[in-house]
Amino acid sequence: MRVVNVIKALNVRINRLSRGEHASVAVHLNQSTFYRHLYLTSQKDLYSCFQVCCDRDMLKIPDHQVAGHEARVGKLGPLIDDSGRFYKPLQSDKRGSEEVAFYESFSSNTEIPEHIRRFFPIFYGTKVMKASTGAEHPHIVLQDIASSRINPSVMDIKIGARTWAPESSEAYVAKCLRKDRESTSVPLGFRISGLRVYISDELGFYKPHRDAIRKAGPDDVKLLLRKFISSNPSAEMETDPDCSLASSVYGGPDGILAQLLELKAWFEDQTIYHFYACSILFMYEKGLALKGASSNAEVKLIDFAHVTEGRGVIDHNFLGGLCSLIRFLSDILKETTKFTVENGQVEPEESGLI
Amino acid sequence: MRVVNVIKALNVRINRLSRGEHASVAVHLNQSTFYRHLYLTSQKDLYSCFQVCCDRDMLKIPDHQVAGHEARVGKLGPLIDDSGRFYKPLQSDKRGSEEVAFYESFSSNTEIPEHIRRFFPIFYGTKVMKASTGAEHPHIVLQDIASSRINPSVMDIKIGARTWAPESSEAYVAKCLRKDRESTSVPLGFRISGLRVYISDELGFYKPHRDAIRKAGPDDVKLLLRKFISSNPSAEMETDPDCSLASSVYGGPDGILAQLLELKAWFEDQTIYHFYACSILFMYEKGLALKGASSNAEVKLIDFAHVTEGRGVIDHNFLGGLCSLIRFLSDILKETTKFTVENGQVEPEESGLI
């Protein structure tokens, strides 16, 4: 796309600007937002900013991100481009290099079955990217798992009662243990890290504040899992969401529960990796589901900065949390639909209602 | 049995005796040992000791116990009688009352399926018992799960990466966490608490010292699980036990693995109890197995002083550890026999060799 055309289409908004200061520019183009931060002092700088954006395949902030670091002024965060790639800045401590090491190991490991590989983002390598300040920073280049979606509803669930690996330092154990005990990780084996649920084009998304999610107890988690597949998620006082999309999102042969059961079978067997502090992402398209079309429900695993070698032992910490999550979804399905979980399969009950 | 007959059959050995001191007497009768401790100052006291033993249905120290508190001079420990009952002294802090509360709840809970109930010792209530010193102490009265066995080989495995309940005090968490990290609980999801393996009538049992078991790492655990079903367990330098009884103890439709898979299916579903610091006991009769008869392999759950309410959540901590243990046994079976584990069933491979 030529720069001149971009500028014609632009609705420019300068969020903050004072002389010589580190300022941010949000550029809205065809309903997407791309974002740069730079020393912005003149019209020439602004023009140069657009040029950089265009040269870089229109890097944007992913708006479906519900947890983790976010890009903002002076702070690195993930970016996406129009070709379906996701650029995740390498964390500067060993977490960054360990996540790269995991992706390199995983992508070349021939023992991973194809039906399991699909639960992981595709890895395209690493790339050093230049910020508008001129500073260079390495990024992991991954598949943008939401690139083909319109208004996806997303939930990020950190799996495992324990988010620290056995060989972690005392200080790190203490820090994680406190978080694990204060959240639902210890009692439930998982905790919700973030979510957003599509309501409508006009009203946008229901997205609880991070602080509210951080404080969520077992009952809140159950409620959020129900709100995620409800037509009335935003009613904060509502304690009985309708769960109207339970069968089309959680249930069925392609639903989230069926996908989790596939993962479970692999985790009962695999002893290659232990996934500490790793998240399971639920995604679906409520707009489609409300029209009676397929919800495109999908499960992905993300965040591998704390993966260790399994050394012949299964990841009992992840598996336990996964089984607990499966039980929660099964309960919702049992309460609201005619699906049952038998022998590791999600099946409609004999009534044939679904 | 009349006292006079008992005395005729006695081979009395006084372990320690000095005037007025707290002394112990071990009495061997028909290959069983019963045991009293008392102030022993005269032949009359000795006679009175036997009388007490006979009056109390021949209380004995269970010789198959491989972990936990043991009765010794001045210290309470479990006792058994000839009618197949096991008397476990109530621990004086709340652990004792909580274990009783669990047994009362479990034995009256109609939601426990019969095929699961068989994994738990039968509960006969509580009984206040008088020590030879005259002091009274309450005991839990349970089924003696080894009463019908001759020379059982026994292994006690504490299940779960975490031995503390979420609501435990800081001090208790710190104490348990240290033990869980120093042992294999954290890396493997379980730790061996004790074992004994029958060798022969002449040589008795292979029983590693508690200190050695406490220090066992992942490789030692794997080795002990192999030694447990080997004809050459006592060769301390031996790193390749023959695993000659793997298929008859771990494998087969009635073997330990099949029983663990039944338990696993229940733990994937049940949300009534969380079993912290609970042990799984493996038992079998090597004498029979070596002759080609059934090994009478059996799995039992014991030690319920830290059971809490499940409150609608599965026991992901126990389940994770159980799945890890299952994977270890499956590996041993795969290496040494033609059994495979498919769809939660232990099956001979198609070769039909077994």
Side-chain angles (χ1 to χ4, degrees):
Chain A
M1 190 183 291
R2 287 177 54 210
V3 174
V4 62
N5 293 331
V6 173
I7 289 178
K8 276 184 189 165
L10 283 176
N11 167 21
V12 177
R13 196 176 50 181
I14 300 179
N15 285 337
R16 204 175 71 190
L17 177 59
S18 63
R19 266 176 305 177
E21 253 190 74
H22 213 145
S24 73
V25 180
V27 181
H28 300 276
L29 172 67
N30 299 334
Q31 292 187 323
S32 295
T33 303
F34 60 95
Y35 186 95
R36 303 294 305 162
H37 51 90
L38 73 167
Y39 285 94
L40 194 64
T41 51
S42 68
Q43 184 63 28
K44 191 180 156 202
D45 276 358
L46 194 60
Y47 183 87
S48 131
C49 157
F50 301 147
Q51 195 162 27
V52 170
C53 292
C54 297
D55 288 350
R56 293 217 181 127
D57 299 325
M58 310 291 284
L59 290 173
K60 294 169 285 189
I61 290 182
D63 66 354
H64 57 270
Q65 200 189 351
V66 294
H69 303 287
E70 278 176 6
R72 59 174 194 270
V73 177
K75 187 153 184 179
L76 285 162
L79 296 167
I80 53 174
D81 68 19
D82 282 340
S83 73
R85 297 199 173 195
F86 180 89
Y87 301 84
K88 182 177 181 177
L90 251 71
Q91 288 166 291
S92 53
D93 53 18
K94 67 174 184 172
R95 286 178 294 175
S97 56
E98 292 195 350
E99 184 151 31
V100 172
F102 166 74
Y103 273 113
E104 283 173 346
S105 160
F106 185 85
S107 60
S108 62
N109 193 322
T110 54
E111 287 179 50
I112 313 296
E114 277 314 306
H115 75 281
I116 293 302
R117 202 173 281 286
R118 74 184 170 104
F119 290 117
F120 292 76
I122 301 166
F123 174 60
Y124 295 113
T126 58
K127 189 176 176 182
V128 174
M129 296 173 77
K130 193 180 259 181
S132 52
T133 58
E136 294 190 328
H137 194 89
H139 286 63
I140 309 180
V141 188
L142 300 168
Q143 171 195 15
D144 174 13
I145 52 181
S147 68
S148 61
R149 293 180 175 272
I150 305 155
N151 296 322
S153 295
V154 182
M155 184 179 273
D156 181 310
I157 305 173
K158 202 182 278 279
I159 304 290
R162 174 163 52 90
T163 56
W164 48 273
E167 57 269 30
S168 306
S169 71
E170 293 302 318
Y172 190 74
V173 169
K175 180 182 149 190
C176 292
L177 184 64
R178 185 179 53 76
K179 282 190 193 176
D180 296 346
R181 291 183 75 194
E182 285 173 1
S183 70
T184 63
S185 293
V186 164
L188 304 190
F190 64 88
R191 66 179 181 246
I192 294 178
S193 297
L195 78 154
R196 68 169 209 171
V197 191
Y198 175 75
I199 300 173
S200 66
D201 285 348
E202 296 72 35
L203 296 172
F205 289 84
Y206 164 65
K207 189 176 175 184
H209 194 272
R210 283 187 181 210
D211 288 344
I213 289 174
R214 201 173 290 130
K215 287 175 191 160
D219 289 340
D220 304 312
V221 164
K222 194 170 180 180
L223 188 60
L224 288 172
L225 288 168
R226 292 165 62 89
K227 283 189 168 188
F228 186 62
I229 40 82
S230 288
S231 68
N232 57 344
S234 57
E236 288 289 352
M237 299 301 291
E238 176 69 79
T239 54
D240 192 24
D242 60 23
C243 297
S244 59
L245 301 173
S247 65
S248 69
V249 179
Y250 291 157
D254 301 319
I256 282 176
L257 186 53
Q259 294 179 53
L260 293 182
L261 290 168
E262 269 193 83
L263 268 178
K264 172 179 173 250
W266 185 61
F267 271 92
E268 285 174 345
D269 186 58
Q270 77 87 14
T271 62
I272 313 168
Y273 303 113
H274 285 190
F275 295 87
Y276 297 104
C278 163
S279 281
I280 281 182
L281 216 60
F282 293 170
M283 282 184 298
Y284 79 99
E285 294 194 51
K286 197 164 153 186
L288 296 177
L290 287 170
K291 290 176 195 157
S294 163
S295 66
N296 282 345
E298 198 176 12
V299 166
K300 290 280 182 191
L301 270 72
I302 58 165
D303 294 343
F304 307 108
H306 301 281
V307 175
T308 61
E309 285 180 21
R311 294 181 194 144
V313 181
I314 64 162
D315 188 352
H316 47 88
N317 176 62
F318 189 101
L319 178 60
L322 178 58
C323 289
S324 177
L325 178 59
I326 284 170
R327 187 58 159 75
F328 271 74
L329 299 194
S330 302
D331 283 351
I332 293 171
L333 277 171
K334 268 185 224 157
E335 287 162 22
T336 58
T337 73
K338 294 287 173 189
F339 279 102
T340 58
V341 182
E342 293 290 339
N343 307 317
Q345 301 268 322
V346 187
E347 290 166 347
E349 277 191 357
E350 284 183 5
S351 68
L353 286 178
I354 293 172
Chain B
M1 191 182 289
R2 285 177 54 208
V3 174
V4 62
N5 293 332
V6 173
I7 290 179
K8 276 184 189 165
L10 281 175
N11 167 21
V12 177
R13 198 176 48 183
I14 299 178
N15 285 338
R16 207 175 70 190
L17 177 58
S18 63
R19 265 177 306 178
E21 256 189 74
H22 214 144
S24 72
V25 181
V27 181
H28 301 274
L29 172 66
N30 299 337
Q31 292 186 322
S32 296
T33 303
F34 61 94
Y35 187 96
R36 303 295 307 162
H37 51 90
L38 72 166
Y39 284 94
L40 194 64
T41 50
S42 68
Q43 186 63 29
K44 191 180 157 205
D45 276 358
L46 193 62
Y47 182 87
S48 131
C49 158
F50 301 147
Q51 196 160 25
V52 170
C53 293
C54 297
D55 288 349
R56 296 224 179 120
D57 298 326
M58 309 290 284
L59 289 172
K60 294 168 285 189
I61 290 182
D63 66 354
H64 56 269
Q65 200 190 353
V66 294
H69 301 288
E70 277 176 6
R72 57 175 195 268
V73 177
K75 187 153 185 177
L76 286 163
L79 296 167
I80 52 173
D81 68 19
D82 281 341
S83 73
R85 298 198 174 196
F86 180 88
Y87 301 83
K88 182 176 181 178
L90 252 70
Q91 289 166 290
S92 52
D93 53 19
K94 67 174 184 170
R95 285 178 294 175
S97 55
E98 290 194 352
E99 185 152 29
V100 172
F102 166 74
Y103 273 113
E104 284 172 345
S105 161
F106 185 85
S107 60
S108 62
N109 192 323
T110 53
E111 287 178 48
I112 313 296
E114 277 312 306
H115 75 281
I116 293 302
R117 201 173 282 286
R118 74 184 170 105
F119 291 118
F120 291 77
I122 300 166
F123 173 60
Y124 295 113
T126 58
K127 188 175 177 182
V128 174
M129 295 173 76
K130 193 180 258 180
S132 52
T133 59
E136 293 190 331
H137 193 89
H139 287 62
I140 308 180
V141 188
L142 301 168
Q143 170 195 16
D144 174 13
I145 52 181
S147 68
S148 60
R149 293 180 175 273
I150 305 154
N151 296 322
S153 295
V154 181
M155 185 180 272
D156 181 310
I157 306 173
K158 201 182 280 278
I159 304 291
R162 174 164 51 92
T163 57
W164 48 274
E167 57 269 29
S168 307
S169 71
E170 293 301 318
Y172 190 74
V173 169
K175 179 182 149 191
C176 292
L177 184 64
R178 186 179 52 76
K179 281 190 192 174
D180 296 345
R181 291 183 74 194
E182 285 173 1
S183 71
T184 63
S185 293
V186 164
L188 304 189
F190 64 88
R191 65 178 182 248
I192 294 177
S193 298
L195 78 155
R196 69 170 208 170
V197 191
Y198 175 75
I199 301 172
S200 66
D201 286 349
E202 296 72 34
L203 296 172
F205 289 84
Y206 164 65
K207 188 176 176 184
H209 194 271
R210 282 188 181 209
D211 288 344
I213 290 174
R214 201 172 289 131
K215 287 175 191 159
D219 289 341
D220 304 312
V221 165
K222 193 170 180 180
L223 188 60
L224 288 172
L225 287 168
R226 291 164 62 90
K227 283 189 168 188
F228 186 62
I229 40 80
S230 288
S231 69
N232 57 343
S234 57
E236 288 289 352
M237 299 302 290
E238 177 68 77
T239 54
D240 191 24
D242 60 24
C243 296
S244 60
L245 301 173
S247 64
S248 68
V249 180
Y250 291 157
D254 301 318
I256 282 176
L257 186 51
Q259 295 179 53
L260 293 182
L261 288 168
E262 270 193 83
L263 268 179
K264 172 179 173 252
W266 185 61
F267 271 93
E268 284 174 345
D269 186 57
Q270 77 88 14
T271 62
I272 312 168
Y273 302 113
H274 286 190
F275 295 88
Y276 297 104
C278 163
S279 280
I280 280 182
L281 216 61
F282 293 170
M283 280 183 299
Y284 79 98
E285 293 195 51
K286 194 163 155 188
L288 296 177
L290 287 170
K291 289 176 197 157
S294 164
S295 65
N296 283 345
E298 197 177 13
V299 166
K300 290 279 184 193
L301 271 71
I302 59 165
D303 293 342
F304 308 108
H306 301 281
V307 175
T308 62
E309 285 179 21
R311 294 182 195 142
V313 181
I314 64 163
D315 188 352
H316 48 88
N317 176 62
F318 189 100
L319 177 61
L322 177 59
C323 289
S324 177
L325 178 59
I326 283 171
R327 187 59 159 75
F328 272 72
L329 300 194
S330 301
D331 282 351
I332 294 171
L333 277 171
K334 269 185 223 157
E335 286 162 23
T336 57
T337 74
K338 295 287 172 187
F339 279 103
T340 58
V341 182
E342 295 289 340
N343 306 318
Q345 300 270 321
V346 187
E347 290 166 348
E349 277 191 356
E350 284 183 4
S351 69
L353 284 178
I354 291 171

